[in-house]
Amino acid sequence: MTTLVIAEHDNSELQASTYNTIAAASQLEGETVVLVAGHDCQSVADQAAKAEGVDKVLLAQAEFLEHLLAEDVEKAVMAQEGDYSHILAPASTFGKNMMPRIAALLDVQQISDIISVESADTFKRPVYAGNAIATVKSNDSKKVITVRSTAFDALSTEGGSAEIETVSAGSHTELSNYVGEELTESERPDLGTANVVVSGGRGMGNGENFEMLETLADKLGAAVGASRAAVDAGFVPNDYQVGQTGKIVAPELYIAVGISGAIQHLAGMKDSKVIVAINKDEEAPIFQVADYGLVEDLFKAVPELIEAL
Amino acid sequence: MKILVAIKRVIDANVKVRVKPDNSGVETANVKMSMNPFCEIAVEEAVRLKEQGVASEIVAVSIGNQQCQETLRTALALGADKAVLVKTDDDLEPLAVAKTLQKVVEQEEPQMVLLGKQSIDGDNNQTGQMLAALLGWGQGTFASKVDMEEGKTQVTREIDGGLQTIELKLPAVITTDLRLNEPRFASLPNIMKAKRKPLDEIALADLGVDTANRTETLSVENPPERSEGIKVETVAELVDKLKNEAKVI
């Protein structure tokens, strides 16, 4: 049994989600091989080779792989000659975009967003916005899987000494071409991996009021998130969204401010260790999952909280 | 240009699902069903492309039991021209759905297939990508903006760090994200008109697709319950609890 992990990276750094995926791979018996496909990304391969639990690194470089477009990554993965029993990638937008293509070409039913490895062919995954947990057994000869990063603790990023082998990068399909990117710049920790997350909802009223949450986040070393209502109202960019269709987070502390707690939002945060809710409506569903609830106007409570920290 | 829109009938997004006592699945009897919210967005986008003069015909397709007709009628009321129901009582996995859609695409020959990015029941987020791969087409997943040009399309995608724009050769598969548009409601006259629009039925068995399940669901359980929380009276009390009881700050 050999597992191939498809690395997520930005051509200079291995993303944290890849380390979580390697951790999931190491729960399967056999070797773990990491494929780094990209452009000018030797440093990423070096990082992968040092990671605990990695037995071998494959490096596939080509200019057309720079932006990791699904059609091209698919070709790079399919060009690998090894016989892999499992192919894993993080359930990030990168993994979700590319992996089902590979599954379809291998004629395999992918298992999405696993939260545990029960055995080499049986996995748990949430369905219905996390309101049910399904235990699924795959009868395919190869298992194609995406991994929920927050469900697997990363192993050490140091100590490994895997060999790096240069492999074929496949060929450019020209079905799609990269045009541009608009990335949200932030000095704060990444929402997906932060230990503390402060999120705002419709109750924030407008985008300027989010500055208050940013001040609170800075005091706590936290990332800032949002509910769909706050994103749709234009208070913050889309990639702040926590929920079934946004990011799934599971920090030590999640502070929900002015968020009612719709099913779709809870799906993205209810595995947080400690949940705090600040809402003036004491009937808000968020209080049903909150460890500590404060019924108070957020415009009074948040400044007080900033003051108290 | 002809557009094919794939839609799915699912448990309504506002229903709190209940796990069956025997852990074989979730309760679906007597539960409100609706069109998957992402599919509504896909239908809306197709209708807008038709209104812009880009699309000439919209074909809505659904795979499932007889009741999926209702969902297809909704799509027709929203502006689709024709509907195709691939009839089966089996619950198909995304790979089987993608293979079935591939057959429908081969029959209908659209220039674009629009799907939702995921269905809110299975939360798989696979079908569009699988279909694109099987057809050998490019894909624009998690689309929040679609611009048409001669022979190609520019798609802005919602990615983890922000937005990415790509250019796709047509034909292509596009899956919709929440921000793509605000779906309209079907008006009563349009609901009446939709009853007269063509709705073809095909038996899944006639398409000759291997739709056998590759996975077995061994059990479906409730997620672990959180222990009951407490209400605090003041910010000072909250800070004290977080510091001394929960020890998270």
Side-chain angles (χ1 to χ4, degrees):
Chain A
M1 266 180 30
T2 309
T3 301
L4 183 68
V5 170
I6 321 292
E8 178 173 16
H9 62 88
D10 59 4
N11 294 310
S12 59
E13 299 255 343
L14 199 58
Q15 302 288 304
S17 58
T18 306
Y19 290 108
N20 303 104
T21 307
I22 292 167
S26 61
Q27 291 185 15
L28 297 157
E29 282 167 41
E31 289 204 328
T32 299
V33 177
V34 176
L35 172 67
V36 177
H39 174 52
D40 213 356
C41 55
Q42 177 70 43
S43 63
V44 179
D46 293 341
Q47 289 163 48
K50 269 192 268 169
E52 188 186 348
V54 175
D55 297 296
K56 191 173 170 184
V57 176
L58 305 178
L59 176 59
Q61 299 194 91
E63 202 171 342
F64 61 80
L65 284 172
E66 183 177 357
H67 301 291
L68 299 172
L69 297 176
E71 298 82 353
D72 295 328
V73 179
E74 168 216 298
K75 289 275 182 292
V77 174
M78 296 302 283
Q80 303 317 312
E81 285 169 9
D83 188 19
Y84 300 101
S85 57
H86 296 72
I87 304 179
L88 270 59
S92 55
T93 51
F94 162 74
K96 287 175 180 173
N97 186 38
M98 162 275 299
M99 284 292 263
R101 289 189 74 99
I102 292 161
L105 295 177
L106 292 171
D107 197 27
V108 166
Q109 175 52 53
Q110 175 180 310
I111 315 266
S112 291
D113 213 10
I114 63 160
I115 56 169
S116 84
V117 174
E118 302 293 300
S119 71
D121 61 6
T122 305
F123 310 91
K124 286 193 185 213
R125 59 177 302 263
V127 291
Y128 292 94
N131 286 299
I133 307 295
T135 305
V136 182
K137 179 171 181 284
S138 166
N139 292 326
D140 282 312
S141 58
K142 289 178 189 291
K143 327 291 182 205
V144 175
I145 294 166
T146 60
V147 175
R148 179 173 291 198
S149 303
T150 56
F152 294 88
D153 289 330
L155 305 175
S156 173
T157 58
E158 298 288 331
S161 58
E163 158 208 357
I164 299 174
E165 185 187 324
T166 300
V167 295
S168 161
S171 53
H172 186 23
T173 65
E174 296 182 26
L175 291 169
S176 67
N177 284 297
Y178 174 86
V179 176
E181 232 162 39
E182 249 179 82
L183 297 182
T184 307
E185 286 185 26
S186 173
E187 305 275 298
R188 292 190 192 83
D190 177 62
L191 184 55
T193 52
N195 278 325
V196 183
V197 173
V198 177
S199 274
R202 198 197 306 270
M204 295 306 295
N206 60 44
E208 283 84 71
N209 290 336
F210 258 81
E211 280 173 24
M212 198 163 70
L213 292 192
E214 285 165 10
T215 310
L216 177 60
D218 289 341
K219 285 233 167 181
L220 292 163
V224 178
S227 69
R228 181 186 168 191
V231 173
D232 283 352
F235 301 171
V236 288
N238 305 341
D239 54 313
Y240 279 48
Q241 186 177 327
V242 172
Q244 183 184 19
T245 67
K247 293 205 174 68
I248 312 288
V249 302
E252 292 287 304
L253 172 62
Y254 187 89
I255 305 181
V257 182
I259 292 176
S260 64
I263 295 170
Q264 291 78 10
H265 184 73
L266 301 183
M269 45 66 80
K270 68 181 177 187
D271 292 328
S272 304
K273 190 160 164 258
V274 175
I275 298 173
V276 170
I278 301 174
N279 203 304
K280 63 183 174 189
D281 173 13
E282 64 178 321
E283 302 296 325
I286 191 78
F287 287 120
Q288 288 163 21
V289 299
D291 298 284
Y292 302 107
L294 176 63
V295 182
E296 178 101 81
D297 184 351
L298 68 95
F299 294 103
K300 180 168 174 290
V302 174
E304 271 183 44
L305 188 53
I306 292 168
E307 192 66 26
L309 292 170
Chain B
M1 182 176 86
K2 186 170 176 178
I3 298 182
L4 189 81
V5 187
I7 58 179
K8 185 176 186 186
R9 181 179 164 87
V10 298
I11 293 182
D12 189 272
N14 298 311
V15 171
K16 174 125 174 62
V17 297
R18 278 181 304 128
V19 171
K20 286 184 185 169
D22 67 357
N23 294 113
S24 63
V26 303
E27 208 66 70
T28 52
N30 301 317
V31 172
K32 187 185 177 205
M33 306 289 279
S34 300
M35 190 189 299
N36 181 44
F38 292 99
C39 304
E40 287 183 355
I41 296 170
V43 172
E44 176 67 29
E45 195 63 18
V47 173
R48 289 186 189 190
L49 288 169
K50 195 177 173 194
E51 287 168 349
Q52 289 163 23
V54 175
S56 51
E57 190 189 6
I58 303 168
V59 180
V61 55
S62 193
I63 304 166
N65 61 19
Q66 195 64 37
Q67 287 165 314
C68 292
Q69 273 208 7
E70 291 168 28
T71 320
L72 286 169
R73 288 287 171 206
T74 307
L76 291 168
L78 291 168
D81 298 294
K82 178 179 116 170
V84 177
L85 171 61
V86 181
K87 238 181 101 179
T88 173
D89 288 325
D90 297 338
D91 203 2
L92 301 194
E93 294 174 340
L95 179 66
V97 171
K99 287 179 179 176
T100 307
L101 289 174
Q102 183 188 8
K103 289 283 179 193
V104 179
V105 167
E106 283 163 7
Q107 285 181 7
E108 298 286 336
E109 299 184 327
Q111 284 290 293
M112 180 187 285
V113 182
L114 281 166
L115 305 92
K117 79 164 174 181
Q118 74 191 68
S119 63
I120 58 164
D121 50 0
D123 281 336
N124 283 300
N125 197 329
Q126 298 174 6
T127 307
Q129 295 89 315
M130 287 181 157
L131 176 63
L134 293 173
L135 291 165
W137 292 5
Q139 66 182 44
T141 54
F142 325 136
S144 60
K145 195 160 176 274
V146 176
D147 287 319
M148 298 300 301
E149 285 164 54
E150 201 59 43
K152 56 189 181 191
T153 177
Q154 268 207 1
V155 177
T156 302
R157 309 177 51 235
E158 296 198 8
I159 58 169
D160 287 331
L163 298 169
Q164 180 191 63
T165 304
I166 57 169
E167 193 175 83
L168 295 173
K169 262 191 201 159
L170 292 176
V173 172
I174 294 175
T175 73
T176 63
D177 214 321
L178 283 171
R179 247 71 57 179
L180 183 58
N181 60 47
E182 188 77 42
R184 68 192 68 188
F185 292 99
S187 68
L188 190 57
N190 285 341
I191 293 171
M192 300 309 289
K193 272 187 221 157
K195 291 185 178 165
R196 293 192 300 274
K197 288 186 180 175
L199 195 160
D200 298 343
E201 279 187 26
I202 310 172
L204 176 66
D206 291 347
L207 289 175
V209 185
D210 168 21
T211 56
N213 279 355
R214 307 300 189 78
T215 65
E216 287 169 58
T217 300
L218 303 182
S219 74
V220 175
E221 284 158 28
N222 280 308
E225 275 197 34
R226 295 187 70 92
S227 54
E228 204 167 328
I230 56 160
K231 291 249 172 81
V232 294
E233 297 297 323
T234 63
V235 167
E237 194 188 339
L238 175 63
V239 173
D240 175 62
K241 296 276 188 202
L242 292 178
K243 274 191 178 142
N244 302 316
E245 195 175 276
K247 297 190 169 54
V248 284
I249 57 172

